[in-house]
Amino acid sequence: MVKTVINFIFILTIASGCVQENMSTNEEINSFLKSYFNALEKNDIESMVELSVDKRFSSKDEQKENYLSMDTKIKKIKLIELDKKSNSEYEALISFTDEKYYEITLPIIKKGNKWMAVVGNDL
């Protein structure tokens, strides 16, 4: 009986560690998305470049130069759903408006110890 209780406690400890790790990752991603959404809404070019990988450009300097010339005002960004693809890849279904309403899937990847939005895939 004592051995069964000890095994049960051991299993619960392992399971709670897995849940805690998953919650931490979700919290990291939600924090990242909050920062990225704030950068987009405030048109904070430096942060937008730092927090994203834009496949349309070959360098961060080119990315920044092009972002500076854009005249889009993104507003009302909301996370609709977050889908885990792997430990280092997620997809966020988000909505936002500029002059129209959009719903898009935003890939999120972990590069080193940093989460990044991947943009420019569909363009």
Side-chain angles (χ1 to χ4, degrees), residues 45-53 60 63 114-116:
I45 303 298
E46 292 289 331
S47 294
M48 288 166 51
V49 170
E50 179 185 325
L51 297 171
S52 67
V53 174
K60 290 288 186 181
Q63 181 181 354
K114 192 172 165 183
W115 290 100
M116 309 273 294

Side-chain angles (χ1 to χ4, degrees), residues 9-112:
I9 291 171
F10 179 71
I11 291 169
L12 282 178
T13 303
I14 291 172
S16 69
C18 292
V19 169
Q20 184 64 34
E21 179 180 329
N22 196 17
M23 285 176 53
S24 296
T25 301
N26 284 342
E27 289 170 4
E28 279 181 34
I29 293 171
N30 283 324
S31 176
F32 159 76
L33 285 171
K34 183 178 179 181
S35 297
Y36 187 63
F37 293 172
N38 283 336
L40 290 170
E41 288 180 338
K42 292 178 180 177
N43 202 31
D44 178 354
I45 303 298
E46 292 289 331
S47 294
M48 288 166 51
V49 170
E50 179 185 325
L51 297 171
S52 67
V53 174
D54 195 322
K55 294 190 172 197
R56 298 172 291 184
F57 310 113
S58 59
S59 70
K60 290 288 186 181
D61 289 335
E62 183 182 4
Q63 181 181 354
K64 182 178 177 181
E65 186 177 312
N66 278 274
Y67 283 17
L68 286 168
S69 68
M70 291 181 189
D71 191 28
T72 304
K73 302 291 184 219
I74 296 175
K75 300 179 273 187
K76 299 180 184 174
I77 306 169
K78 293 182 183 167
L79 175 64
I80 299 169
E81 184 177 1
L82 188 61
D83 184 28
K84 180 179 181 178
K85 296 299 178 184
S86 73
N87 287 339
S88 60
E89 293 181 49
Y90 283 73
E91 286 184 347
L93 178 61
I94 65 170
S95 67
F96 65 92
T97 61
D98 57 12
E99 294 177 5
K100 298 177 186 175
Y101 175 85
Y102 299 91
E103 279 188 11
I104 65 164
T105 300
L106 178 68
I108 302 166
I109 61 169
K110 191 160 194 177
K111 287 186 97 176

